[in-house]
Amino acid sequence: MSITTIRAVAPARVNIIGEHTDHNDGLVLPTCTALFTRIIAKPRADGTVRATTTTLGEAEDFELDDLSPLQTSNWIEYVKGIAAGLQEAGVALRGAELEIDSDIPLGAGLSSSASLELAAANALLAIAGATLLPDELARICQKAEQEYAGVQCGIMDQYALACTESGNALFLDCRSMQALQVKLPSDLTFILTDSGVRHQLTDGDYNNRAEECAAAVEILAQSDAAVKSLRDVDADLLTRQESELGDLLFRRCRHVLSENERVLDMVTALKAKDLPKIGSLLTACHESLRDDFAASCKPVDALVAGANDSELVLGSRMVGGGFGGCVLSACHSKDVIEVAEHIRDVYAAANGEQPWQHQVVPAHPARVTGE
Ligand code: GLA
């Protein structure tokens, strides 16, 4: 039977902890939530991929025999990059009509772009009647973002959306690519509140932080040739090289090293269902991102502080690449209504309107849901 209609769906990524560690060969612990990119795909007889997005009300197309990157932040570049990656992997693609819809807020630290990538990859694969392993798909999507959108991102978002099982967090070592599913305690609830501040990763600050980390590695490698990434650096070496690095690079490194430790501690705390510890790790992560990695901004800091003013809030932090986007707060599940209201009040007092808010709900990884 020939393929008529394919439905592909990919969730949003919520990184519990391990921020800006993936592009330093480090540790991450993301989960998925029930916000989705949905694609309805139909095959075409020619070699054109034509995509419409109801979210932006736009239509774009490209030809499968001309997939050269334009490196713009236009959403179609992500889809084109996916097509190029799939072809490179040996998939004989067919033309397609893609109808894209998403309820993931854009630029809010929830990986709307990786979600689009995974959904598009699954849609194009299914139209071609081909399959690839989830981790291969994640790599193709990461490469598309790097080469077609020009963001030197790590592997976390794509891998999380391809491989995290519903109700779990994924403890991923971005160097060895060893991954472990970690069950999230049922009496723990995460709430996302959008600060409303927007800053696209394609604006350059993300790449700038990645370049600072690379510059630090170059300096540290001069005293120890075994240093190939910040993963090879321990606290002793960092302290010894503090003056060589200078204050700024020293702080960038200190964030990455301490964040890797916090990921390990978070895995232990989740397994032990130690809710207070989980909360304090979130807040410590925020402080490190704010003070050492300089990836936060004042409205996000204010929302984190205001959220944490309630005794019912276990801890809060900015989530995702940073420079705006959502705040992630943790609470005991029995307190979720009161906590959500408290954080909305904090936001409303500062902004005169209600924020976008979402309670993290288990979601399946990216998949094709049928014809
Ligand atoms: C973005 C990138 C990820 C990761 C986070 C920060 O989401 O796409 O690879 O680096 O920022 O942790």
Side-chain angles (χ1 to χ4, degrees), residues 290-319:
R290 182 192 62 199
D291 301 337
D292 278 353
F293 212 69
S296 186
C297 61
K298 290 227 149 50
V300 170
D301 295 341
L303 192 55
V304 165
N308 285 348
D309 270 348
S310 163
E311 282 185 355
L312 298 179
V313 174
L314 299 164
S316 300
R317 71 175 196 83
M318 56 152 269
V319 69

Side-chain angles (χ1 to χ4, degrees), residues 14-17 29-33 167-169 182-193 266 270 274-275 277-283 313-317 319 327-333 336 339-340 343 357-362:
V14 179
N15 190 18
I16 295 174
I17 206 158
L29 190 68
T31 186
C32 296
T33 192
N168 291 346
V182 181
K183 199 164 167 36
L184 293 171
S186 59
D187 54 355
L188 172 70
T189 294
F190 290 108
I191 297 171
L192 291 163
T193 310
M266 185 64 93
L270 287 173
D274 184 344
L275 269 52
K277 181 70 184 175
I278 292 166
S280 69
L281 286 166
L282 291 185
T283 302
V313 174
L314 299 164
S316 300
R317 71 175 196 83
V319 69
V327 165
L328 177 73
S329 303
C331 67
H332 201 291
S333 300
V336 64
V339 165
I343 304 173
Q357 205 173 44
H358 169 81
Q359 181 182 326
V360 173
V361 181

Side-chain angles (χ1 to χ4, degrees), residues 328-349:
L328 177 73
S329 303
C331 67
H332 201 291
S333 300
K334 68 176 171 44
D335 298 327
V336 64
I337 292 176
E338 241 176 301
V339 165
E341 192 181 342
H342 161 72
I343 304 173
R344 285 201 302 277
D345 287 350
V346 169
Y347 179 92

